[in-house]
Amino acid sequence: MTIGGPRGRSPRLQMPCLRKMEKMIVSMQDPDMGIKMRNQRLLITVIPHAMTGNDIVEWLIQKYGISEEESLHLGNLIVKHGYIYPLRDPRNLVLRADESPYRFQTPYFWTSTKWPATELDYAIYLAKKNIRKQGDLIEHEKDNYNLLHKRINHTWDFVVMQAREQLRAAKQRRKGDRIVIDCQEQAYWLVNRPPPGAPSVLEQGPERRNSHTTRVQLTKNMDYYKREIEYCRKAMARTRVKSSICLEGNPWITDDTTYWAMNAPTVPTPTKLRVERWGFNFSELLMDPLGRAQLLEFLKKEFSAENLSFWEACEELRYGEQSRIDEIVDSIYQQFLAPGATRWVNIDSKTMERTLEGIKTPHRYVMDDAQMHIYMLMKKDSYPRFLKSDLYKNLLAEAIIPPETKKQRVFPFMRKQRHSSPSPALLLPAGDSEERSKSPAAAPVPEEES
Amino acid sequence: MVKEECKALLDALNKVTACYRHMVLTIGGTSDSQNLREELKKTRQKAQELAVANRNKLTAVLKDKTVSKEDKAEFERLWVIFSTCLEILEIDMRRALELGHEFPLNVPKKHLIQTGMSGGTSGVAARAMSVQNMKYEAEHNIDVVDLKDLENEINQVGEMMYEMEMKVNVPQWTVEAKQDPGAELKSTISVGASSIGMISVEENKSFCDISKVLAGIIFSAVLIIAIVLAVCVVKLS
């Protein structure tokens, strides 16, 4: 059984464009309003239900009242998606507006995102073709055959058995039907496993797989609106306000720039919150310039400062100027990677090999593997030690807690509560009285919290 | 021999699955008919019986501790073949259900797709049921009535597969195929050379002009006659 078999599969939907095409195909079958069928004459057999490209184009023009160019384009789309296949040049899925014959594809073989073509079926098809053509497969089919033999090796015996049986079952049918079935299968696999280089009709762009975009709610019934109302209600109850509690007062409101001064990138004494933040994770420490400087100090004591310098140099390479790449790569190599370098970094041999290979053709990301290795090394090794070190503990002890500024109070008896203001939409149902009582008090005093 | 019996059962299931697939292909096309729906019903019921028989036999063997290692490997291989076969059967049954809903037969407004098929599938069904001729005895609205049964049977098969997965522990990746790539070519005698030849000829010259072929034949005939006459003239003179 394949993993994620029928029970594990999430319900798939048919792509909307395919559903529309199916409707169109069904309307073409109408005995009165549909396309007129002709007979296809092969050497001995006569097969019914063939139509010319011209017929298709004419019918589309008549049915939808469109121009010939548009009709040709539409017909081309239908042929590309495998709902109609050409009889004369079967490998070329193109609609020609002339006497070339076409035929409808059987519903089982209609292109479907609901029933995608499986590897197993493809393998069975290739095995059947192999038997029929005595080993004379097309190049890419041979490659696929070998690939599948490796990939689904455990069921290969089944593939061979099933291929033989399907051919035997087909022999029970009339000659004409057998030919039709072969053509149908060939067209199906041309659409679902196009030869290399041919555009695949089933390729969906990166955003298309999202079920929310493909599910089109056409009938807006009660359930739909109920869901929408529920969703909007929940969204209103969420507070959209981000609280930015500044103990020193928000500079934008109080015109007091203490907050910025205290949290500047390089300041002799950092705030306690900032120092505590370095303990959250390694990237917090590294991204803060003050933290990075402290880490460097610590590493110097441990004699592994070259790790951090190497990491910084790699960052410079990644985000630096294109023109300087060769220069930077060279300097990194000389300083950190060359055997006998002054600040040699300890990278494992495999990564070193790969990096040295990459240096021959330098680009922005050659040092990525090595940089990641050193980053993880610092994170797992030096970072925990840093957090336990005396240096860090001293920093924590010395960090200042900024005092709360005394704000001018116009009404000294009014208590300022620190909370984010509720969504105004929620105030409305409570009535206007609440609003009126709030407004005169709120106006002269500036809002403390944002 | 237990192995031979298992193999025979598996071959039978394989045959019925192939026939079923063949018949599901024709739903919705012009050779779709009440007979086809009845054939589908009978075939899948037979397939289910065979599946149950296979499962019982194979689980009995796999649970048996007295089986030798090579035999066990062989039975595991058969088990993997069996579960894949069942998987294909289930997918085909689901598609048959969907297509059955899409293409009901007695509704005048809904038209069948003109796929170019004109013959029936009775031969295929007879092969599946291992009988000489098929007898048709169902009512004329089997296409609608049968869908409910089909749904139930799909659920049954689904449950059976779930049970199988839970109870029998055969990791698929440990099974190696016995056949090399291209093995199917070695025993193609049974497939029949004549039909292959005709099909490939048809494919190569799928829509050749009859008049051109006739002209070619006439030309070559005239040429041969001319050569023969010339030779006669040379010999006689």
Side-chain angles (χ1 to χ4, degrees):
Chain A
M1 285 177 220
T2 55
I3 305 170
R7 276 138 294 116
R9 181 179 58 204
S10 58
R12 290 204 192 96
L13 297 168
Q14 178 75 309
M15 261 164 71
C17 64
L18 296 176
R19 261 187 273 140
K20 291 177 197 160
M21 274 192 244
E22 282 169 20
K23 278 202 202 110
M24 201 186 285
I25 294 287
V26 171
S27 66
M28 281 187 196
Q29 310 302 322
D30 196 320
D32 312 313
M33 303 290 291
I35 303 188
K36 290 281 167 280
M37 295 284 129
R38 300 152 202 249
N39 287 335
Q40 178 197 12
R41 280 178 204 290
L42 295 177
L43 224 42
I44 306 167
T45 33
V46 172
I47 306 179
H49 309 144
M51 54 204 163
T52 62
N54 232 343
D55 288 340
I56 301 175
V57 171
E58 294 284 332
W59 185 88
L60 285 171
I61 293 177
Q62 255 199 338
K63 167 105 181 180
Y64 296 109
I66 50 180
S67 66
E68 183 168 345
E69 196 183 341
E70 192 177 343
S71 153
L72 194 59
H73 174 74
L74 195 57
N76 237 330
L77 278 178
I78 296 180
V79 173
K80 272 206 184 23
H81 280 80
Y83 289 95
I84 294 179
Y85 58 92
L87 298 173
R88 191 174 296 175
D89 188 11
R91 288 197 203 291
N92 207 358
L93 295 174
V94 162
L95 180 68
R96 286 202 190 87
D98 53 17
E99 298 302 307
S100 21
Y102 291 85
R103 190 172 281 138
F104 289 111
Q105 178 69 281
T106 185
Y108 185 86
F109 281 145
W110 280 352
T111 313
S112 179
T113 42
K114 213 169 166 191
W115 305 100
T118 57
E119 298 286 7
L120 194 60
D121 285 333
Y122 190 45
I124 295 175
Y125 167 67
L126 286 178
K128 277 202 282 191
K129 204 165 179 191
N130 210 10
I131 296 175
R132 277 204 336 251
K133 299 235 163 145
Q134 294 293 305
D136 185 24
L137 294 174
I138 312 173
E139 202 51 52
H140 77 95
E141 282 178 349
K142 270 205 195 107
D143 294 335
N144 284 340
Y145 182 85
N146 292 330
L147 213 71
L148 281 168
H149 177 83
K150 252 188 265 170
R151 216 185 285 166
I152 51 171
N153 188 276
H154 55 276
T155 50
W156 194 257
D157 296 335
F158 173 70
V159 167
V160 172
M161 277 167 68
Q162 182 69 206
R164 287 201 187 117
E165 275 303 324
Q166 283 189 10
L167 281 173
R168 284 185 202 133
K171 271 178 39 171
Q172 305 296 324
R173 303 207 60 176
R174 211 186 274 186
K175 172 59 138 324
D177 290 350
R178 249 183 290 160
I179 298 176
V180 170
I181 293 172
D182 288 334
C183 291
Q184 282 173 353
E185 250 197 308
Q186 186 185 40
Y188 176 70
W189 289 111
L190 269 174
V191 173
N192 282 284
R193 294 281 188 273
S200 167
V201 129
L202 288 172
E203 247 169 49
Q204 295 169 319
E207 270 106 40
R208 301 253 203 109
R209 279 279 175 178
N210 187 357
S211 59
H212 299 294
T213 51
T214 48
R215 200 167 300 174
V216 178
Q217 177 98 18
L218 292 171
T219 51
K220 302 211 169 167
N221 53 7
M222 262 230 314
D223 283 325
Y224 169 74
Y225 285 116
K226 275 193 191 146
R227 267 186 282 137
E228 288 285 311
I229 291 172
E230 215 26 67
Y231 176 76
C232 291
R233 194 174 282 147
K234 283 199 190 121
M236 273 208 314
R238 273 196 298 242
T239 56
R240 291 177 188 277
V241 173
K242 314 285 184 263
S243 69
S244 56
I245 299 179
C246 297
L247 295 171
E248 313 84 0
N250 190 331
W252 298 110
I253 294 171
T254 55
D255 289 335
D256 179 13
T257 52
T258 331
Y259 179 71
W260 289 333
M262 297 193 80
N263 284 308
T266 46
V267 86
T269 40
T271 58
K272 189 145 188 138
L273 281 176
R274 191 173 171 183
V275 179
E276 277 170 5
R277 204 179 168 137
W278 297 341
F280 291 166
N281 59 48
F282 186 49
S283 58
E284 290 281 348
L285 177 62
L286 218 49
M287 289 306 140
D288 189 350
L290 205 59
R292 203 189 284 190
Q294 296 297 332
L295 181 66
L296 192 62
E297 287 300 313
F298 173 72
L299 288 177
K300 277 192 187 146
K301 290 202 190 111
E302 297 221 327
F303 303 104
S304 43
E306 64 270 4
N307 287 340
L308 188 56
S309 309
F310 176 71
W311 186 86
E312 283 182 334
C314 291
E315 284 288 283
E316 199 194 324
L317 173 65
R318 283 190 99 197
Y319 300 113
E321 292 170 8
Q322 181 76 19
S323 53
R324 289 190 57 220
I325 283 184
D326 288 340
E327 184 192 322
I328 298 177
V329 168
D330 199 43
S331 87
I332 292 179
Y333 175 73
Q334 295 300 332
Q335 269 198 306
F336 299 101
L337 298 174
T342 49
R343 316 184 72 193
W344 191 78
V345 283
N346 192 4
I347 316 177
D348 66 295
S349 52
K350 243 201 206 155
T351 320
M352 181 64 98
E353 254 177 62
R354 251 185 288 151
T355 314
L356 290 177
E357 267 300 304
I359 285 182
K360 293 182 189 149
T361 47
H363 58 90
R364 207 175 276 278
Y365 304 110
V366 293
M367 297 290 174
D368 270 7
D369 289 336
Q371 188 186 12
M372 182 52 72
H373 182 90
I374 293 292
Y375 179 85
M376 296 311 273
L377 191 68
M378 286 197 287
K379 179 173 171 177
K380 293 200 176 119
D381 197 28
S382 318
Y383 179 58
R385 282 207 298 268
F386 172 76
L387 292 180
K388 295 192 194 111
S389 69
D390 290 331
L391 178 67
Y392 184 66
K393 293 203 172 90
N394 283 342
L395 281 168
L396 269 177
E398 282 165 20
I400 48 179
I401 302 174
E404 280 180 49
T405 56
K406 298 254 178 277
K407 283 200 51 234
Q408 284 184 2
R409 291 172 191 270
V410 180
F411 295 106
F413 46 83
M414 208 173 124
R415 227 159 282 168
K416 297 274 187 274
Q417 277 164 333
R418 290 175 201 295
H419 58 77
S420 54
S421 51
S423 165
L426 290 173
L427 290 174
L428 289 170
D432 294 334
S433 54
E434 234 182 78
E435 273 191 284
R436 264 184 247 127
S437 69
K438 268 200 171 230
S439 43
V445 176
E447 288 278 303
E448 186 189 78
E449 310 302 337
S450 54
Chain B
M1 269 300 304
V2 182
K3 225 190 272 183
E4 266 70 36
E5 286 169 24
C6 284
K7 261 222 119 248
L9 271 176
L10 202 53
D11 284 337
L13 180 62
N14 185 34
K15 182 175 77 166
V16 175
T17 309
C19 294
Y20 190 68
R21 159 71 66 98
H22 200 94
M23 288 192 273
V24 176
L25 280 183
T26 40
I27 300 183
T30 35
S31 46
D32 196 356
S33 63
Q34 301 288 358
N35 287 347
L36 174 70
R37 304 298 172 98
E38 193 182 338
E39 286 162 10
L40 280 167
K41 179 182 178 131
K42 291 199 170 131
T43 313
R44 74 163 185 271
Q45 280 168 348
K46 173 114 195 233
Q48 274 192 291
E49 285 165 23
L50 281 170
V52 170
N54 257 302
R55 178 197 61 173
N56 293 339
K57 197 129 206 146
L58 278 173
T59 40
V61 170
L62 286 171
K63 283 212 170 82
D64 194 1
K65 306 273 186 208
T66 60
V67 175
S68 72
K69 234 181 170 207
E70 304 94 45
D71 279 349
K72 191 143 188 153
E74 174 65 19
F75 285 120
E76 285 183 356
R77 187 185 74 96
L78 290 178
W79 178 263
V80 169
I81 294 179
F82 170 54
S83 50
T84 323
C85 196
L86 209 55
E87 204 182 293
I88 283 202
L89 189 67
E90 197 204 348
I91 293 183
D92 278 342
M93 280 165 70
R94 279 178 200 268
R95 295 214 67 181
L97 181 65
E98 193 199 355
L99 289 171
H101 276 301
E102 288 247 346
F103 294 100
L105 289 174
N106 288 333
V107 179
K109 274 284 173 182
K110 293 218 168 172
H111 311 289
L112 297 173
I113 309 290
Q114 289 157 325
T115 48
M117 311 262 243
S118 37
T121 42
S122 47
V124 182
R127 185 185 165 81
M129 307 296 291
S130 313
V131 293
Q132 273 296 96
N133 291 312
M134 286 291 292
K135 291 194 200 61
Y136 298 103
E137 52 224 0
E139 313 106 38
H140 57 260
N141 62 342
I142 185 175
D143 57 324
V144 169
V145 165
D146 189 37
L147 293 176
K148 210 72 200 87
D149 294 334
L150 180 51
E151 254 189 87
N152 293 336
E153 285 175 30
I154 291 176
N155 289 332
Q156 277 175 11
V157 172
E159 273 170 31
M160 181 159 81
M161 286 174 75
Y162 181 72
E163 248 187 80
M164 278 164 54
E165 231 179 309
M166 291 292 124
K167 294 211 175 126
V168 178
N169 185 14
V170 174
Q172 293 198 315
W173 51 89
T174 54
V175 171
E176 263 185 47
K178 271 189 170 173
Q179 321 253 20
D180 298 322
E184 61 266 16
L185 295 171
K186 295 191 188 124
S187 57
T188 49
I189 330 156
S190 54
V191 187
S194 57
S195 58
I196 309 174
M198 279 316 284
I199 292 177
S200 51
V201 160
E202 305 293 8
E203 274 185 41
N204 288 341
K205 328 186 208 163
S206 61
F207 206 72
C208 54
D209 221 342
I210 297 184
S211 54
K212 273 200 201 139
V213 172
L214 280 172
I217 294 174
I218 293 172
F219 177 70
S220 40
V222 167
L223 197 60
I224 290 170
I225 293 172
I227 293 174
V228 163
L229 281 174
V231 165
C232 289
V233 164
V234 165
K235 279 219 162 148
L236 288 174
S237 67

